[in-house]
Amino acid sequence: RRMPRLFRCIVVAAALSVAVTAAGAQEALPPPLPARATVWGARMDQALREAAANPTLYVVLHGAEPAGEPSPDGWRHDVDATDFLPVGARDIPERLAGNLSRQDHRQVSLDLGRDILASIESSPGFRRNNLAYALTLAVTASLRLTDLRQFDAAQEARLLRIVNDALADSPAFRASSAAERTTAYDALIVTSGLISRMTDDAIADKDRELAERALALARETLASLGIHR
């Protein structure tokens, strides 16, 4: 679903505040800011940064290409190691919408956030309620813009298992609550969907401003992992 033309940039500003950070947003894209508290809290912040610093994942985030699919016994953890039982309000779309002042903008934003969550969770091959899947989605969507990288199906499958092992090895992730994992999962999915949809629209419409705003959101997403582009 394409985003209404006049609405796109407003949503990006709100997403920079909600899907990635907990700071309040205005209806304009803010300038680059230093690291801020994220919506999912300090413990999940630490978990994501520990995962990103894992040597196997670190080299991929900094340019190495994940190779083809190895044998299943080559991984330290099963994928269910990063599963969780969702709890809490599941209100990331509502938080995104709540940062907008106009009622019509809030409704479009709410519908968009819910649509992104529903579309991605119902996608073939996507594992619901699994943080490794959500984080892999965010990483690939962001690197597509910041580094102009593309991952084929085999590379994505390997990257997913690298992310899964890195998260499962993180002490902070193992100590995190289901509520913290739920918030991070929802925020990463909504952010990834916004990045991808804005990028596709920017290419189709040759819209440089929209492309720049999508790039800003991708950079903010990577910054939440301690990766600066």
Side-chain angles (χ1 to χ4, degrees), residues 129-171:
N129 305 324
N130 180 281
L131 194 60
Y133 272 73
L135 181 54
T136 301
L137 190 69
V139 165
T140 55
S142 298
L143 291 179
R144 176 187 177 193
L145 286 187
T146 62
D147 294 23
L148 302 179
R149 293 176 66 181
Q150 299 289 341
F151 297 90
D152 62 27
Q155 290 170 334
E156 285 185 354
R158 181 174 176 85
L159 177 57
L160 169 65
R161 297 306 300 265
I162 291 172
V163 168
N164 185 71
D165 276 358
L167 273 174
D169 283 343
S170 161

Side-chain angles (χ1 to χ4, degrees), residues 10 13 50 72 86 108 116 120 135 137-138 149 153 156 173 176 182-183 207 215 223:
I10 295 173
E50 286 174 355
V108 175
I116 287 172
I120 290 177
L135 181 54
L137 190 69
R149 293 176 66 181
E156 285 185 354
F173 174 78
S176 64
T182 301
T183 300
D207 189 331
L215 177 59

Side-chain angles (χ1 to χ4, degrees), residues 140-224:
T140 55
S142 298
L143 291 179
R144 176 187 177 193
L145 286 187
T146 62
D147 294 23
L148 302 179
R149 293 176 66 181
Q150 299 289 341
F151 297 90
D152 62 27
Q155 290 170 334
E156 285 185 354
R158 181 174 176 85
L159 177 57
L160 169 65
R161 297 306 300 265
I162 291 172
V163 168
N164 185 71
D165 276 358
L167 273 174
D169 283 343
S170 161
F173 174 78
R174 293 195 298 269
S176 64
S177 68
E180 289 168 329
R181 297 180 187 189
T182 301
T183 300
Y185 169 87
D186 287 349
L188 288 168
I189 288 179
V190 171
T191 304
S192 302
L194 285 172
I195 292 170
S196 296
R197 292 189 186 198
M198 287 188 297
T199 300
D200 291 343
D201 284 358
I203 293 172
D205 298 343
K206 297 181 174 60
D207 189 331
R208 178 172 295 181
E209 181 184 9
L210 184 61
E212 289 173 350
R213 290 171 181 268
L215 177 59
L217 186 54
R219 285 173 171 159
E220 285 274 359
T221 301
L222 292 176
S224 71

